[in-house]
């Protein structure tokens, strides 16, 4: 499913899904802000990447969108997780944890021997 | 699944672009506002808030572009854009488009027609279930090499093969069974086919209507049944389904119609199919002859999977050795059993013609592709500036090539569609063309394999003719074209050289086709003007079928003809009338050997045998060379005398006088009702005629009185001073009066027979190769004309200067013509060389002319040169009309 070559796209998709799971329906700006905040502002979300990524997730059926009004009465497009998206999130999160764990094991002994 | 879903959604993204564009614009707008508001809340000034938000968002247009790329399928969108652009360009140049599509359509159409004939007619002609494993069994005589001995067997032999083999799934036996079909008002001879009862399962084709026959139907005592052929059902019963269950009186027996076979079931070309018990008691030779009962059968088998033909032949050989004793006379001393694929047996000769035709259409396709390539080169170089401008505006080289190639692809698709249409029309005509010798079962239509072939061919030719002009047009340095004012002279010069090369190639290839067609024409003329050694004009011929038993004796047959012949010769317009057994050009009966006292010989002296009335020699115009002809009293008394042909004397007697010598035709000893050990006295010698087909030399032949014996049917030959077909009804009346139960069958003229059997192949070759050559020539001329016209356009400036400096119209004409004719002569030289090198492959297809026939090798280049001169002359004349003032301003 996940395009393994494009790691950034893959991780961005995962972050979007996680954000939507945590906060419920949210507009593009909110998703971007949330990701930046969560990363402790280490990440800057490139909007030229964010919107195509949202579109891709929608095309794959993991999220759906509809126009709504924001807290301060602005029209905005809201994204929310679908059932398929929830499943995909579980799966990808598990895979990601596994990957990081493996990588951590690889890197740890390297440090010792150095 | 997800990918597929995304792909579908993205395909959907190709539509409704405007609404989607507004949507993303609104979303980005709302994004910006949300950002600005937050900045304001954070305490920025409105201007600062806006600026910072815009910086963060980045280029809105870039976001939109990457969004759009994710939304649809950019590669597809580009492609569609190229297609619609290519379509528009082609529509703007209708002349160019029409010529290119027509050239492609001719190439692709003709190739597809020949492919269909080859694939559906030769490779896969049969609708039978195991068509690819059908195998025909035959006996070869291995005494001198391996010659075919017989391919028909006694029923018990086939049964033995079937029972004893380990290499076949099943074996079927079938034979012809021509029987009279008596109806209320008339009767006629129908061509039936008897089959062993396993046939239905063997061929694996269910009937169209009703049921097929089973083992039970063939059992003695079972109800008699018959299956109808589709064409016969259509002709005789008007496709009436009510025919099922009715009875037909066939040879005095009522048979119930149980079914109709589907259209492609044309086994043996029979009108009807009848089951025959494997254990039928074998009729004697006499019974078989008099009652027309089948004695010999074809043995066709289904080869087991993964068994080779050689293994199968060895397997059958073992069985044959065991059963030789059953029919010792039907096996030569040294023999070998042979197994051949069924479609190979039927179409071996035609295949050769077809393979050459495939080569011819391949040449045609090559001509049409290079024609389109040179058209495209011209077309592209006229657009050099447009291409340069696109490059300047940022189009990459690959993108430009792709665009030009897609344009060719549009042409290719057009050519493919038009070609398929042409093939569709052509294949309908092909089915009716005499000379296409494929099994009756073959269905040569525009079916799926042919369509796929046409599409593959179109793609191939598109790459062939489309890619290189595109690569050439988008040269390495794109800027130069923009700098030059009009047409880029340097690039065009280079293009001109390629185009010239293409024209030379086209001329050479079309000359090759012309030479081939010329050879076919010479061969056709040689065949139609061939002297057979007898009169072929105004001779009517017909076989006379005698009902069994009534006419078995020589006397009864003589009584019939004594009554009929004088009345026929009394008909107005009739000059001669004669009786024979066989028609002169059909391969009549031959005697494997003859016995001549005082002439012992080791080799078999194969000799043709004919039984005639005294009128035979004048009817065919045979010259008496020695002795005397048969006299009426010879005929009346059935005297044992014989008139022989020149070849017989030359072969068996050399310089000796044959008159008075005795000769025995050994074949008669093998036919029970014929006189055995009968010696005939040679009384005369007549001139030769071609009695062994047109290809092979005349063989020795003897003519005895037709009253020498009573068995078998006879034929009549009637020579007339008027159109013989007009007399047919009168003759039919006379024979019906003389013998009410006799039937006149296969009536026709000798000329008509030759047309149908002898001229048909050369004619087909002439037409097919002639068509290829004519189209090839036309395409090559179009190519030549295009190149000349374009080069005149390029040279307008130069020609203007020349004229301004005083060149006369004649000088200009000569200048342009010389250039064109140089190309043509180059092509002709190349073409002649190719013809000389390849003419030998035609050898088997020619008759009566050498493969290096001077006529063809001189006339074809002359014809080409004349036509090419015209194609050059028209542009050259236009060049002389150039107005120097206009030309100098022309840029």
């Amino acid at each position: 499913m996940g395009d393994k070559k494009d790691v950034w796209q893959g991780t961005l998709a995962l972050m979007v899904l996680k954000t939507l799971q945590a906060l419920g329906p949210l507009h593009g700006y909110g998703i971007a802000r949330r990701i930046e905040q969560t990363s402790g502002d280490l990440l800057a979300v490139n909007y030229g990447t964010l919107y195509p990524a949202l579109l891709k997730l929608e095309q794959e059926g993991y999220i759906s969108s509809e126009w709504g009004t924001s807290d301060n009465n602005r029209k905005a497009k809201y994204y929310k997780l679908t059932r398929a998206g929830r499943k995909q999130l579980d799966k990808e999160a598990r895979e990601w944890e596994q990957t990081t764990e493996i990588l951590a094991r690889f890197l740890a002994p390297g440090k010792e021997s150095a | 699944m997800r990918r597929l879903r995304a792909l579908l959604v993205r395909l959907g993204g190709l539509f409704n672009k405007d609404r989607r564009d507004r949507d993303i614009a609104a979303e980005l707008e709302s994004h910006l506002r949300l950002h600005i508001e937050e900045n304001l809340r954070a305490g920025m000034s409105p201007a600062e808030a806006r600026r910072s938000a815009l910086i963060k968002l980045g280029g809105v247009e870039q976001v939109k572009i990457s969004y759009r790329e994710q939304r649809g399928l950019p590669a597809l969108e580009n492609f569609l854009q190229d297609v619609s652009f290519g379509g528009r360009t082609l529509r703007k140049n209708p002349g160019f488009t029409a010529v290119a599509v027509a050239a492609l359509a001719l190439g692709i159409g003709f190739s597809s027609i020949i492919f269909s004939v080859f694939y559906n007619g030769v490779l896969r002609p049969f609708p039978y279930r195991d068509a690819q494993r059908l195998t025909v069994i035959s006996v070869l005589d291995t005494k001198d090499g391996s010659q075919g001995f017989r391919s028909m067997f006694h029923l018990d032999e086939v049964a033995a093969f079937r029972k004893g083999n380990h290499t076949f799934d099943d074996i079927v036996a079938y034979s012809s069974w021509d029987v009279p079909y008596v109806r209320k008002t008339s009767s006629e001879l129908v061509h039936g086919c008897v089959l062993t009862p396993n046939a239905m399962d063997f061929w694996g084709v269910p009937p169209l209507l009703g049921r097929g026959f089973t083992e039970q139907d063939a059992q003695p005592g079972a109800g008699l049944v018959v299956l109808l052929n589709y064409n016969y059902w259509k002709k005789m019963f008007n496709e009436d389904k009510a025919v099922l269950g009715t009875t037909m009186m066939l040879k005095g027996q009522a048979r119930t119609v149980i079914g109709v076979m589907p259209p492609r079931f044309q086994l043996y070309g029979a009108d009807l199919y009848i089951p025959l018990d494997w254990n039928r008691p074998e009729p004697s030779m006499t019974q078989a002859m008099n009652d027309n009962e089948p004695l010999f059968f074809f043995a066709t088998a289904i080869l087991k999977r993964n068994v080779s033909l050689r293994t199968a032949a060895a397997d059958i050989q073992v069985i044959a050795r065991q059963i030789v004793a059953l029919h010792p006379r039907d096996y030569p001393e040294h023999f070998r059993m042979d197994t051949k694929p069924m479609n190979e047996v039927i179409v071996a000769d035609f295949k050769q013609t077809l393979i050459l035709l495939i080569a011819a259409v391949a040449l045609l396709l090559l001509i049409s592709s290079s024609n389109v390539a040179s058209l495209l080169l011209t077309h592209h170089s006229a657009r050099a500036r447009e291409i340069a401008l696109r490059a300047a505006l940022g189009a990459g080289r690959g993108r430009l090539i792709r665009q030009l190639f897609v344009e060719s692809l549009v042409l290719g698709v057009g050519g493919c569609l038009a070609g398929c249409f042409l093939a569709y029309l052509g294949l309908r005509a092909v089915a009716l063309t005499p000379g296409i010798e494929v099994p009756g079962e073959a269905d040569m239509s525009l079916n799926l394999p042919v369509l796929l072939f046409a599409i593959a061919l179109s793609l191939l030719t598109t790459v062939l003719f489309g890619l290189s002009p595109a690569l050439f047009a988008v040269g390495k340095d794109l800027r130069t074209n923009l700098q030059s004012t009009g047409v880029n002279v340097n690039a065009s010069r280079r293009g001109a050289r390629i185009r010239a090369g293409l024209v030379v190639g086209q001329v050479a290839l079309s000359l090759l086709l012309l030479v081939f067609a010329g050879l076919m024409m010479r061969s056709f003329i040689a065949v139609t003007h061939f002297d057979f050694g007898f009169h072929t004009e105004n001779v009517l011929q017909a076989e006379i079928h005698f009902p069994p038993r009534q006419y078995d004796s020589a006397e009864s047959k003589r009584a019939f003809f004594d009554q009929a012949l004088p009345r026929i010769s009394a008909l107005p317009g009739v000059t001669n009338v004669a009786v024979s057994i066989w028609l002169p050009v059909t391969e009549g009966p031959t005697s494997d050997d003859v016995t001549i006292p005082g002439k012992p010989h080791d080799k078999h002296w194969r000799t043709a045998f004919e039984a005639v009335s005294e009128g035979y020699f004048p009817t065919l115009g045979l010259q008496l060379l020695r002795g005397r002809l048969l006299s009426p009293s010879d005929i009346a008394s059935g005297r044992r005398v014989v008139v022989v042909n020149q070849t017989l004397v030359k072969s068996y007697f050399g310089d000796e006088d044959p008159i008075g010598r005795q000769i025995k035709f050994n074949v008669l000893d093998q036919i029970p009702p014929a006189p055995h050990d009968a010696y005939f006295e040679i009384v005369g010698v007549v001139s030769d005629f071609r009695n062994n087909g047109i290809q092979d030399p005349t063989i020795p032949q003897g003519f005895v009185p037709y009253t020498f014996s009573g068995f078998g049917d006879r034929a009549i030959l009637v020579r007339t001073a008027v159109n013989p077909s007009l007399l047919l009804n009168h003759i039919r009346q006379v024979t019906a009066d003389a013998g009410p139960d006799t039937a006149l069958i296969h009536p026709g003229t000798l000329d008509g027979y030759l047309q149908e059997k002898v001229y048909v192949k050369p004619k087909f070759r002439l037409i097919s190769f002639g068509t290829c050559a004519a189209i090839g020539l036309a395409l090559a001329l179009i190519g030549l004309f295009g190149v000349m016209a374009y080069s005149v356009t390029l040279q307008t400036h130069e020609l203007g200067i020349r004229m301004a400096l005083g060149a006369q119209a004649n000088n200009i004409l000569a200048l342009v013509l010389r250039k064109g004719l140089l190309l043509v002569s180059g092509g002709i030289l190349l073409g002649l060389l190719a013809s000389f090198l390849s003419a030998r492959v035609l050898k088997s297809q020619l008759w009566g002319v050498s493969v290096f026939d001077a006529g063809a090798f001189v006339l074809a280049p002359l014809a080409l040169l004349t036509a090419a001169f015209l194609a050059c002359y028209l542009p050259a004349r236009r060049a002389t009309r150039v107005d120097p003032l206009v030309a100098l301003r022309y840029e």
Side-chain angles (χ1 to χ4, degrees):
Chain A
M1 257 325 68
D3 198 346
K4 292 200 172 94
K5 272 187 283 182
D6 197 348
V7 180
W8 172 232
Q9 274 274 352
T11 43
L12 179 62
L14 182 56
M15 289 175 200
V16 169
L17 292 177
K18 186 68 195 170
T19 305
L20 289 178
Q21 189 200 35
L23 301 185
L26 200 60
H27 43 66
Y29 175 70
I31 294 170
R33 287 293 293 149
R34 169 73 184 185
I35 290 173
E36 283 171 352
Q37 279 166 5
T38 312
S39 74
D41 283 332
L42 284 173
L43 283 177
V45 175
N46 177 353
Y47 300 128
T49 319
L50 173 69
Y51 280 97
L54 284 172
L55 184 61
K56 184 162 184 272
L57 284 170
E58 195 178 355
Q59 285 167 346
E60 287 170 345
Y62 297 136
I63 60 175
S64 62
S65 71
E66 78 192 335
W67 285 93
T69 24
S70 70
D71 314 335
N72 37 19
N73 263 350
R74 290 248 170 248
K75 251 175 81 88
K77 202 175 192 180
Y78 277 78
Y79 295 89
K80 71 170 190 236
L81 217 51
T82 62
R83 271 186 54 186
R86 254 177 259 284
K87 269 204 247 165
Q88 177 70 5
L89 174 60
D90 283 349
K91 193 174 144 233
E92 275 198 34
R94 248 197 333 271
E95 278 173 11
W96 186 250
E97 272 163 22
Q98 222 168 27
T99 314
T100 44
E101 200 182 318
I102 292 167
L103 272 177
R105 278 189 211 163
F106 265 101
L107 294 174
K111 267 177 195 164
E112 272 166 22
S113 64
Chain B
M1 270 315 289
R2 291 281 156 198
R3 267 173 209 271
L4 186 66
R5 183 198 144 103
L7 186 70
L8 288 176
V9 173
R10 287 177 81 166
L11 269 176
L14 296 177
F15 305 99
N16 240 334
K17 283 189 196 155
D18 284 352
R19 193 181 58 76
R20 285 167 208 265
D21 274 346
R22 278 199 302 275
D23 208 51
I24 179 66
E27 189 170 3
L28 290 176
E29 177 67 25
S30 93
H31 181 111
L32 194 63
R33 279 180 193 283
L34 286 167
H35 202 152
I36 292 171
E37 269 166 33
E38 187 158 329
N39 282 352
L40 285 173
R41 252 180 276 136
M44 291 187 198
S45 70
E48 182 66 21
R50 186 174 171 74
R51 208 178 87 87
S52 136
L54 279 172
I55 290 169
K56 186 74 209 301
L57 184 58
V60 175
E61 284 310 312
Q62 275 92 323
V63 176
K64 280 188 189 166
I65 285 175
S66 53
Y67 188 84
R68 273 192 214 116
E69 277 175 4
Q70 172 65 32
R71 184 180 64 199
L73 294 164
L76 183 63
E77 270 173 276
N78 281 343
F79 176 75
L80 290 176
Q81 212 180 4
D82 286 346
V83 168
S84 93
F85 181 78
R88 253 180 293 144
T89 319
L90 294 176
R91 227 176 305 140
K92 265 194 289 176
N93 299 283
F96 159 77
T97 309
V99 173
V101 168
L104 284 177
L106 286 170
I108 293 166
F110 272 82
S111 305
S112 304
I113 291 173
I114 300 298
F115 176 78
S116 179
V117 174
F118 188 67
Y119 183 85
N120 294 316
V122 174
L123 288 185
R124 290 191 167 27
F126 299 115
Y128 310 127
R129 187 187 49 220
D130 300 300
Q132 295 310 308
R133 290 188 284 140
L134 289 177
T135 309
V136 178
I137 302 172
S138 64
V139 184
L140 300 181
D141 184 347
T142 52
K143 196 180 172 195
D144 329 300
S146 279
Q147 287 173 327
F149 183 76
R150 64 181 171 126
S151 52
M152 294 186 92
F153 299 88
H154 295 274
L155 199 53
D156 55 359
E157 289 178 285
V158 187
F161 294 153
R162 185 171 184 239
K163 224 178 116 192
N165 81 80
H166 303 96
T167 47
F168 295 113
D169 282 340
D170 199 3
I171 301 182
V172 77
Y174 61 98
S175 185
S176 77
W177 193 62
D178 292 349
V179 289
Y181 166 38
V182 179
R183 282 179 295 166
K184 273 187 200 119
T185 48
S186 63
S187 75
E188 65 179 288
L189 200 70
V190 292
H191 177 44
C193 174
V194 285
L195 299 130
T196 48
N198 59 328
M200 283 292 129
D201 185 51
F202 182 93
W203 300 111
V205 176
L208 182 70
L209 291 178
R211 65 174 181 92
F213 49 72
T214 59
E215 296 279 347
Q216 280 74 39
D217 289 316
Q219 294 297 318
L224 299 175
V225 297
V226 58
L227 266 175
L228 299 184
N229 168 287
Y230 180 84
N231 295 349
Y232 189 71
W233 176 55
K234 205 169 155 183
K235 189 179 86 184
M236 294 298 290
F237 301 102
N238 223 350
E239 299 188 45
D240 184 3
K241 287 178 184 165
V243 75
L244 290 185
T246 60
T247 55
M248 291 174 78
M249 281 306 285
L250 295 168
K251 209 175 165 187
Q253 294 172 318
R255 285 184 175 268
T256 310
V257 178
I258 55 167
V260 177
M261 294 309 287
R264 280 188 67 193
F265 190 89
Q266 294 293 340
L267 186 72
Y268 212 27
D271 297 329
L272 28 94
Y273 303 95
I274 287 162
L276 181 79
D277 186 14
W278 278 106
N279 303 313
R280 175 202 68 158
E282 179 156 296
S284 70
M285 181 80 95
T286 320
Q287 266 176 313
M289 288 218 174
N290 287 335
D291 293 357
N292 225 349
E293 278 290 322
L295 188 57
F296 291 101
F297 295 81
F298 290 106
T300 301
I302 300 174
L303 195 64
K304 277 202 169 109
R305 283 181 207 282
N306 303 321
V307 170
S308 74
L309 284 170
R310 191 185 294 212
T311 316
D315 187 23
I316 292 294
Q317 176 90 11
V318 172
I319 304 165
R321 288 236 173 274
Q322 291 162 2
I323 59 170
V324 165
L326 286 177
H327 308 280
R329 275 216 300 231
D330 295 327
Y331 288 89
E333 209 180 324
H334 303 282
F335 73 93
R336 186 161 65 77
M337 299 304 293
D338 192 34
T339 46
K340 275 206 186 76
M342 180 152 154
N343 43 6
E344 207 171 285
V345 170
I346 296 181
V347 289
D349 181 50
F350 179 60
K351 215 172 179 174
Q352 187 79 28
T353 309
L354 211 52
I355 287 170
L356 285 170
L357 258 182
I358 289 173
V361 292
L363 292 182
L364 190 60
L365 191 69
L366 217 54
I367 294 176
S368 74
S369 306
S370 58
N371 198 317
V372 177
S374 74
L375 277 172
L376 273 175
L377 270 175
T378 313
H379 181 65
H380 289 339
S381 48
R383 287 165 59 191
R385 286 193 72 186
E386 176 202 322
I387 293 167
L389 194 63
R390 282 167 181 278
L393 289 176
R397 196 162 169 259
R399 184 78 183 75
L400 283 172
I401 291 174
R402 209 183 319 146
Q403 194 205 316
L404 291 181
F405 182 68
V406 164
E407 201 177 304
S408 314
L409 207 60
V410 174
L411 276 182
V413 169
C416 181
L417 288 175
C420 284
F421 184 63
L422 186 73
Y424 170 74
L425 294 181
L427 282 170
R428 287 170 61 167
V430 155
L432 306 170
T433 305
I436 295 203
E437 293 164 353
V438 299
E441 289 95 335
D443 174 27
M444 292 172 295
S445 58
L446 194 66
N447 52 7
L448 190 65
V450 182
L451 274 177
L452 289 178
F453 173 81
I455 291 168
L457 208 59
S458 311
L459 281 177
L460 182 79
T461 45
T462 304
V463 172
L464 212 66
F465 74 73
L467 204 53
S468 44
L471 285 174
F472 180 77
V474 185
K476 287 212 175 75
D477 191 1
L478 287 166
R479 277 165 310 159
T480 46
N481 284 335
L482 204 57
Q483 288 158 357
S484 82
T485 38
V487 191
N488 177 344
V489 177
N490 278 330
S492 306
R493 283 267 155 78
R494 213 150 62 77
R497 233 172 289 142
I498 297 177
R499 276 192 299 276
L502 286 171
V503 162
V504 170
Q506 288 174 45
V507 169
L509 290 176
S510 67
L511 180 65
L512 186 62
L513 286 176
L514 272 179
V515 169
F516 281 16
L519 286 171
M520 295 300 175
M521 179 181 278
R522 298 272 299 173
S523 177
F524 178 70
I525 291 171
V527 169
T528 48
H529 286 73
F530 177 67
D531 183 10
F532 284 88
F534 57 80
H535 290 296
T536 60
E537 272 165 28
N538 286 349
V539 178
L540 187 115
Q541 52 166 20
E543 292 161 41
I544 294 176
H545 176 67
F546 292 99
R549 280 177 269 283
Q550 254 169 282
Y551 288 92
D552 283 356
S553 68
E555 288 70 38
S556 56
K557 285 213 165 71
R558 188 165 57 84
F560 169 82
F561 284 114
D562 278 350
Q563 214 182 345
L565 294 189
R567 286 187 54 194
I568 292 175
S569 51
L571 290 172
V574 172
T575 53
N576 297 93
V577 59
V579 180
S580 67
I581 297 189
W582 304 86
L583 307 170
V585 269
T586 53
E587 214 173 295
T590 55
S591 182
D592 237 15
D593 202 355
V594 291
T595 312
I596 301 172
K599 292 277 172 199
H601 51 271
D602 295 335
K603 278 207 162 172
H604 285 189
W605 280 1
R606 198 164 82 94
T607 307
F609 177 79
E610 177 64 288
V612 302
S613 67
E614 73 276 12
Y616 187 80
F617 307 98
T619 303
L620 291 182
L622 304 181
Q623 304 297 316
L624 176 69
L625 301 175
R626 240 187 232 182
R628 64 174 180 88
L629 293 173
L630 298 179
S631 70
S633 82
D634 291 337
I635 307 293
S637 58
R639 201 171 289 148
R640 295 273 165 86
V641 290
V642 60
V643 168
V644 298
N645 69 357
Q646 238 176 317
T647 303
L648 186 141
V649 177
K650 227 180 292 164
S651 318
Y652 303 159
F653 293 98
D655 294 333
E656 291 171 46
D657 185 6
I659 304 293
R661 303 289 291 263
Q662 301 280 320
I663 184 169
K664 184 181 96 167
F665 298 92
N666 297 1
V667 68
L668 294 179
D669 290 348
Q670 291 164 26
I671 306 172
H676 288 194
D677 219 19
Y679 282 86
F680 294 83
E681 183 190 335
I682 298 174
V683 294
V685 181
V686 289
S687 54
D688 276 343
F689 67 84
R690 287 291 176 125
N691 55 6
N692 193 27
I694 175 167
Q695 303 271 9
D696 301 307
T698 304
I699 62 171
Q701 185 166 25
F703 306 88
V704 305
Y706 78 90
T707 45
F708 81 103
S709 167
F711 80 90
D713 286 345
R714 296 287 187 272
I716 54 165
L717 296 167
V718 184
R719 184 142 164 241
T720 57
V722 295
N723 180 358
S725 317
L726 299 174
L727 292 170
L728 181 61
N729 280 335
H730 298 287
I731 294 169
R732 201 191 283 277
Q733 188 60 49
V734 170
T735 57
D737 287 349
D741 299 331
T742 62
L744 202 67
I745 51 184
H746 305 314
T749 62
L750 216 47
D751 242 355
Y753 180 85
L754 292 175
Q755 289 279 358
E756 200 181 311
K757 302 277 168 170
V758 182
Y759 302 158
V760 65
K761 279 187 202 173
K763 192 172 176 182
F764 171 71
R765 288 172 193 147
L766 172 64
I767 290 174
S768 51
F769 280 90
T771 312
C772 282
I775 293 168
L777 178 66
L779 288 175
L781 291 181
I782 290 173
L784 181 64
F785 178 82
V787 165
M788 292 309 295
Y790 185 67
S791 93
V792 167
T793 315
L794 278 186
Q795 280 178 297
T796 307
H797 188 65
E798 177 199 328
L799 294 175
I801 294 176
R802 281 172 188 271
M803 289 178 92
L805 292 176
Q808 295 299 305
N810 278 344
N811 303 122
I812 300 287
L813 197 66
L815 185 79
V816 178
L817 272 182
R818 198 183 309 137
K819 191 171 167 184
L821 292 180
L822 204 68
L823 292 181
V824 175
S825 1
I828 286 180
L829 281 180
L830 261 180
L832 276 178
L833 188 71
S835 310
F836 270 115
L837 290 177
S838 58
R840 216 163 292 133
V841 302
L842 290 184
K843 190 153 188 179
S844 69
Q845 304 294 304
L846 295 179
W847 189 89
V849 291
S850 137
V851 289
F852 299 119
D853 178 72
F857 273 82
V858 170
L859 285 178
L862 273 183
L864 182 62
L865 202 62
T866 316
F869 182 80
L870 271 180
C872 295
Y873 181 74
L874 294 176
R877 211 181 45 168
R878 208 184 57 184
T880 63
R881 303 231 178 101
V882 167
D883 180 350
L885 279 177
V886 176
L888 289 174
R889 248 184 275 134
Y890 181 92
E891 270 295 60

